[in-house]
Amino acid sequence: MQGTRFAPDRGLTTRMVGTMFLIGLLYVVFVGVLVALLRGAWPFVLVLAGGLFVAQFWFSDRIAAFGMGAREVSPQEAPELHGAVDRLCALADMPKPRVAIADSDVPNAFATGRDQRNALVCATTGLLRRLEPEELEGVLAHELSHVAHRDVAVMTIASFLGVLAGIVTRIGLWGGLRRVGGRDANTALIMVLVPLVSAVVYAISFLLTRMLSRYRELSADRAGALLTGRPSALASALTKVTGQMARIPTRDLRQAEPFNAFYFAPALSRDSLSRLLSSHPTLEQRLDQLGRISAQLGRP
């Protein structure tokens, strides 16, 4: 956020900082428990934790962009998309990210990159075909807000604990920890406790990370709407994208679902699990916030 004109949101920032503190505290406790249980294997724990963190921080965004089929395009190939990004970057006083298009009928957009120098903003062909220019700018302003706030790096760090806990759980369940210590009662106890602790940590970190993701989506909506001064355009894009999702074949939506955390709007949402497990706020929450911003700006 520093160095750009994206508006801060102190309330959401406070909640996000609190959530990140809880995730960090959970990480410290988790590693401490592993070191205590595995005793002589603490170098293994530290190397595993450090290696996984570096790999996820440096490569997860590139893997995600590749998985979503993002293809970088030049201004000659996509003049309207580049023009919109140019205008918004000038308005926000931020470096222009790389621009890409994903060949998918699912109407969506996403941003990747751990900082502004490595950022990429991508829109799907389905989104470009369905939105009006003002609606597209609203969506792109939302995604550029993610870049300005370094949301990809924040969410990568936040989700790392869950990845580590999940891997340790699998190691324990597969019996890989049998190599640590002898085959006595203590080893058997460790074989039970490590997967159990890891599973509990994974569940808690997953819920905290999803909560943080919902906060950051609301923050990106607000910052994007204030930057363009047209919250109604972003609200229209949200309504249109969400409504069009129902017309996309379920098979295509399921293929896109693993990348929901990156998308402007989730490809699939399950009503029974929506609020607790969703990476995004509900459509009603997002539209309600944009409505309040419109009222504050004196816009219809």
Side-chain angles (χ1 to χ4, degrees):
M1 182 172 61
Q2 187 176 6
T4 73
R5 297 195 182 103
F6 278 104
D9 187 324
R10 297 187 183 278
L12 281 172
T13 300
T14 300
R15 291 198 288 272
M16 288 186 287
V17 169
T19 305
M20 283 293 289
F21 172 78
L22 291 175
I23 292 173
L25 181 63
L26 190 64
Y27 173 73
V28 171
V29 171
F30 176 56
V31 173
V33 169
L34 284 183
V35 170
L37 288 175
L38 301 180
R39 294 186 181 91
W42 63 266
F44 164 77
V45 174
L46 295 180
V47 170
L48 176 65
L52 285 174
F53 176 77
V54 170
Q56 186 173 0
F57 186 79
W58 286 93
F59 300 114
S60 63
D61 58 324
R62 302 178 198 177
I63 295 172
F66 176 79
M68 289 182 278
R71 179 181 64 86
E72 193 170 348
V73 292
S74 67
Q76 292 73 31
E77 293 175 289
E80 293 182 0
L81 180 58
H82 269 273
V85 173
D86 284 335
R87 288 191 295 274
L88 291 169
C89 287
L91 196 60
D93 190 23
M94 64 181 289
K96 182 182 178 181
R98 291 174 292 138
V99 178
I101 292 177
D103 187 13
S104 171
D105 193 43
V106 178
N108 235 315
F110 59 88
T112 66
R114 59 187 180 276
D115 55 39
Q116 294 184 27
R117 291 175 300 173
N118 297 281
L120 177 144
V121 173
C122 179
T124 66
T125 52
L127 185 81
L128 297 174
R129 188 168 59 253
R130 290 175 172 89
L131 295 189
E132 298 298 326
E134 286 191 355
E135 296 170 335
L136 177 62
E137 284 200 1
V139 173
L140 293 174
H142 170 105
E143 296 302 331
L144 288 173
S145 171
H146 282 310
V147 173
H149 291 96
R150 299 184 179 180
D151 283 354
V152 173
V154 170
M155 293 307 301
T156 299
I157 294 171
S159 64
F160 164 71
L161 178 60
V163 173
L164 174 62
I167 289 178
V168 172
T169 300
R170 289 176 176 84
I171 292 175
L173 293 176
W174 290 341
L177 295 175
R178 291 183 184 276
R179 293 190 294 272
V180 180
R183 297 176 181 274
D184 54 15
N186 289 335
T187 301
L189 181 61
I190 290 174
M191 291 290 295
V192 173
L193 285 178
V194 170
L196 179 61
V197 170
S198 299
V200 171
V201 169
Y202 175 79
I204 296 173
S205 64
F206 178 84
L207 294 176
L208 288 174
T209 302
R210 288 306 173 99
M211 184 188 302
L212 179 63
S213 178
R214 293 193 292 272
Y215 289 156
R216 301 203 77 82
E217 291 300 327
L218 286 172
S219 180
D221 280 349
R222 181 179 186 275
L226 290 176
L227 180 71
T228 62
R230 294 190 296 268
S232 60
L234 180 55
S236 175
L238 264 172
T239 303
K240 187 178 291 187
V241 166
T242 304
Q244 289 291 322
M245 288 292 186
R247 303 182 182 182
I248 304 297
T250 303
R251 181 187 62 184
D252 295 341
L253 293 178
R254 291 195 183 282
Q255 289 177 349
E257 187 179 15
F259 304 106
N260 269 352
F262 288 89
Y263 280 137
F264 167 67
L268 278 176
S269 59
R270 308 179 190 281
D271 293 337
S272 59
L273 302 174
S274 58
R275 297 210 171 183
L276 189 61
L277 303 182
S278 177
S279 58
H280 289 66
T282 63
L283 177 62
E284 290 75 17
Q285 288 174 308
R286 299 176 77 174
L287 293 180
D288 180 63
Q289 176 182 245
L290 291 171
R292 293 195 304 271
I293 295 173
S294 290
Q296 293 168 7
L297 297 177
R299 299 292 179 89

